[in-house]
Amino acid sequence: MMPTERILKKSSKERLSVRRARDAERAAAVGHQRSRSCEGSDSNLPGDVRSRLWKLFGQIEQELEGMYAENMALQDKVEALTVKLDAIQSGKAIPEGTDAVDGSVKSGSIKSKAVSTSSQITNLILKPKYKSAASKNVFSFKGTGNSPCQFVRHYRGHRDGVWEVCVSRGDMPLLGTASADRTARLWCIETGACVLEYVGHLGSVNSLRFHPTEPLVLTASGDKTAHVWKSTVTLPPPSQVIAESNKSAPSSGEEGVDGSAEDDVDTGAENENIIYVKSPQCQLEGHASVINAADWLADGKQIVTASWDRTANLYDVETRAIVHTLTGHDQELNHLCTHPTQKLVVTSSSDTTFRLWDFRDPSIHSVNVFQGHTDSVTSAMFASGDKVVSGSDDRSVKVWDLKNMRTPITMIRTDSGVNRLSVSQTKNIIAIPHDNRHIRLFDLNGMRIGRVPRTNRMGHHRMVCCTAWNDASTNCNLFSCGFDRQVLGWHVGTTTQ
């Protein structure tokens, strides 16, 4: 053990013992005061027993406060080490204030020592080196000094947690978000401005999906209904978009995403030209509980909804009638996804399974059950090559081949529960949002590519609920939303070899 480490441990132990002694004295005083205040109250317990109980309760409270303070201090140390590690990986200068583990700025000798050993640490981190076959997307962690994932833009406006984020198709795609503040919003991706707000739901908006070809949006809500409404908006001309994008873009990845005030996230200034939609074009009913997700089938003429009532309904958009009710799950449904080109639906449930429903033959509605998780399945998404990717609260992500559904072809172990993940159809990359505020990137073979940066001033500071890819863009091509009311845009870079 190094002398510095022994000194740090000794000093931390001394501070802890002094703190505990003071806490014990304070607990005794609080217990005595509370026992005196309760002497006149109606109780069958003797006074000395009540005094003893209050003293023990006070000690427990003080111990919990001390543990909470120590936990926050450890989190700060971990964030400082993370910043330092990211700087070493990217070849940048180590930021001031992150050289010491306790957050204090050390002398120049320690700084020079850290810089001199950065190459060794980098070699240890980057080994083993994986080589990919030709003509594949490969992420590079070295050379230019740029991180493979960088923050691009913040979309401000929601006043409660954001459950889902989605990207439309077309030449000028829109960003859609569904929030617990009972609204759904559409955003200009390049400027970050909100261009439309839907306020027709009476409960939390849990899901939002764009029509494959028409300017229509489908939202699912806690009010037990699904709404279809028009998304016709006028975006600024490309020249104005570029100018506003350059003006609003941060100069560095850490500006504009300050997470220091968790409960006071700036909602931003409202766009003067925002469109408010108050009523749907079509309202779908029939569920007995909250609708967690809804999506369009490939032809855009039918809609599937997933609910906490353990069923999924298939609707005809024109008649608004229920064509078929999908039953079989033993517990509530958490998520559903439709295939982009075929009439296939996958539903995820808290019963630890997800099911594949086939509507390609109108006379036969076949179903296949996937069993491989040990906890609630939070999401399952279609990927290229007839694959399905599932995420679960059992802290795992699994890749399945539709031709062999008995066992997964890839399994990814994580350190936190997985929420609504997304898969890039062109890059074949899985963006995994976690309960612990992180977003990790893996390929379909289970190889870890990296993670989205997260520090005290950058990234989400509460649970990340959902991610979505924008494969048509080369700038802002990954989006994330969380229960901290933040909607963030990221750039994930690739190089072709």
Side-chain angles (χ1 to χ4, degrees):
M1 183 181 295
M2 298 296 292
T4 306
E5 295 179 358
R6 288 199 296 267
I7 294 173
L8 288 173
K9 288 188 175 182
K10 183 178 179 181
S11 60
S12 61
K13 289 181 179 179
E14 291 177 352
R15 290 196 299 268
L16 185 59
S17 61
V18 172
R19 183 186 306 164
R20 287 180 176 173
R22 292 177 179 174
D23 293 344
E25 294 176 359
R26 189 188 309 172
V30 171
H32 181 66
Q33 182 179 1
R34 290 177 175 176
S35 64
R36 290 185 59 187
S37 63
C38 295
E39 287 179 356
S41 60
D42 296 333
S43 176
N44 295 327
L45 296 176
D48 57 341
V49 176
R50 290 201 305 271
S51 177
R52 177 62 176 167
L53 286 175
W54 282 116
K55 182 178 179 180
L56 291 175
F57 288 150
Q59 290 177 355
I60 293 173
E61 181 181 359
Q62 296 301 324
E63 286 291 335
L64 290 176
E65 290 180 356
M67 292 173 60
Y68 178 78
E70 291 176 5
N71 187 25
M72 297 302 296
L74 287 174
Q75 288 184 7
D76 293 338
K77 293 178 183 179
V78 170
E79 295 296 343
L81 288 174
T82 303
V83 174
K84 181 178 179 180
L85 182 60
D86 291 339
I88 292 174
Q89 286 181 344
S90 60
K92 297 179 180 179
I94 299 176
E96 295 183 0
T98 60
D99 297 280
V101 176
D102 58 356
S104 60
V105 181
K106 296 294 184 180
S107 60
S109 60
I110 298 181
K111 288 185 179 181
S112 60
K113 183 178 179 181
V115 174
S116 65
T117 58
S118 62
S119 59
Q120 300 176 2
I121 297 176
T122 304
N123 292 332
L124 291 175
I125 293 171
L126 297 183
K127 288 181 179 180
K129 296 180 179 179
Y130 297 95
K131 293 184 179 180
S132 179
S135 71
K136 288 188 177 181
N137 291 324
V138 179
F139 283 74
S140 176
F141 285 84
K142 61 181 182 178
T144 60
N146 295 326
S147 173
C149 185
Q150 296 178 341
F151 169 73
V152 178
R153 190 164 292 106
H154 198 157
Y155 301 84
R156 305 176 184 271
H158 282 296
R159 293 170 175 80
D160 207 337
V162 184
W163 296 120
E164 190 167 274
V165 60
C166 183
V167 180
S168 69
R169 305 172 187 177
D171 297 333
M172 292 290 289
L174 294 170
L175 178 68
T177 54
S179 173
D181 63 8
R182 302 185 178 185
T183 69
R185 289 179 176 239
L186 303 184
W187 312 78
C188 176
I189 293 179
E190 299 300 330
T191 64
C194 178
V195 294
L196 186 147
E197 181 176 355
Y198 181 71
V199 294
H201 281 292
L202 302 178
S204 169
V205 184
N206 302 322
S207 174
L208 182 146
R209 308 289 169 87
F210 290 94
H211 191 278
T213 57
E214 300 179 17
L216 297 174
V217 177
L218 169 65
T219 50
S221 172
D223 60 11
K224 307 178 186 179
T225 66
H227 292 181
V228 177
W229 40 277
K230 290 186 177 181
S231 60
T232 305
V233 296
T234 302
L235 295 177
S239 58
Q240 182 179 350
V241 167
I242 296 175
E244 294 183 5
S245 175
N246 295 332
K247 182 179 179 181
S248 61
S251 58
S252 66
E254 296 186 0
E255 295 182 7
V257 199
D258 192 350
S260 58
E262 296 187 2
D263 296 325
D264 297 319
V265 177
D266 182 13
T267 58
E270 293 288 351
N271 182 11
E272 296 179 355
N273 299 322
I274 188 171
I275 300 173
Y276 292 92
V277 179
K278 299 182 180 180
S279 59
Q281 180 175 321
C282 173
Q283 179 170 313
L284 305 177
E285 300 176 345
H287 282 290
S289 187
V290 171
I291 302 180
N292 248 355
D295 204 352
W296 306 85
L297 283 186
D299 58 3
K301 298 179 181 179
Q302 291 179 317
I303 288 174
V304 187
T305 57
S307 171
W308 280 2
D309 63 9
R310 306 181 184 182
T311 67
N313 287 341
L314 176 65
Y315 293 88
D316 182 271
V317 178
E318 185 177 356
T319 63
R320 308 183 186 181
I322 298 178
V323 178
H324 192 72
T325 298
L326 312 180
T327 59
H329 283 293
D330 296 330
Q331 296 184 33
E332 64 269 13
L333 275 63
N334 299 319
H335 186 259
L336 73 79
C337 176
T338 60
H339 196 279
T341 59
Q342 304 182 54
K343 289 187 175 182
L344 298 174
V345 180
V346 60
T347 56
S348 309
S349 172
S350 295
D351 62 8
T352 72
T353 70
F354 65 97
R355 297 180 177 230
L356 175 67
W357 310 82
D358 190 347
F359 297 102
R360 288 175 292 186
D361 188 347
S363 60
I364 302 176
H365 296 157
S366 63
V367 57
N368 296 295
V369 182
F370 291 75
Q371 297 176 336
H373 290 286
T374 60
D375 206 337
S376 174
V377 181
T378 55
S379 62
M381 302 290 293
F382 288 101
S384 60
D386 292 332
K387 295 182 178 64
V388 173
V389 182
S390 62
S392 170
D393 281 336
D394 63 7
R395 303 182 179 183
S396 71
V397 174
K398 298 184 179 182
V399 182
W400 308 76
D401 190 343
L402 296 181
K403 301 175 183 178
N404 180 16
M405 300 171 291
R406 293 185 178 180
T407 57
I409 58 178
T410 302
M411 182 172 64
I412 302 170
R413 291 288 186 183
T414 65
D415 59 352
S416 181
V418 178
N419 295 311
R420 297 184 177 182
L421 54 80
S422 61
V423 184
S424 172
Q425 299 296 324
T426 58
K427 301 179 179 64
N428 292 324
I429 303 171
I430 312 169
I432 307 174
H434 289 289
D435 287 342
N436 64 358
R437 307 173 292 175
H438 287 285
I439 303 171
R440 290 182 171 87
L441 306 176
F442 288 81
D443 64 14
L444 293 178
N445 296 321
M447 184 183 300
R448 180 174 177 176
I449 295 173
R451 65 178 178 84
V452 172
R454 207 208 75 80
T455 64
N456 285 335
R457 290 187 55 83
M458 179 165 53
H460 292 281
H461 50 264
R462 288 187 182 176
M463 174 182 70
V464 186
C465 299
C466 180
T467 60
W469 288 94
N470 181 19
D471 292 323
S473 174
T474 57
N475 181 25
C476 198
N477 54 8
L478 178 63
F479 301 93
S480 63
C481 64
F483 207 63
D484 54 4
R485 297 178 280 177
Q486 294 193 102
V487 181
L488 307 179
W490 307 89
H491 169 69
V492 179
T494 59
T495 57
T496 303
Q497 296 182 354

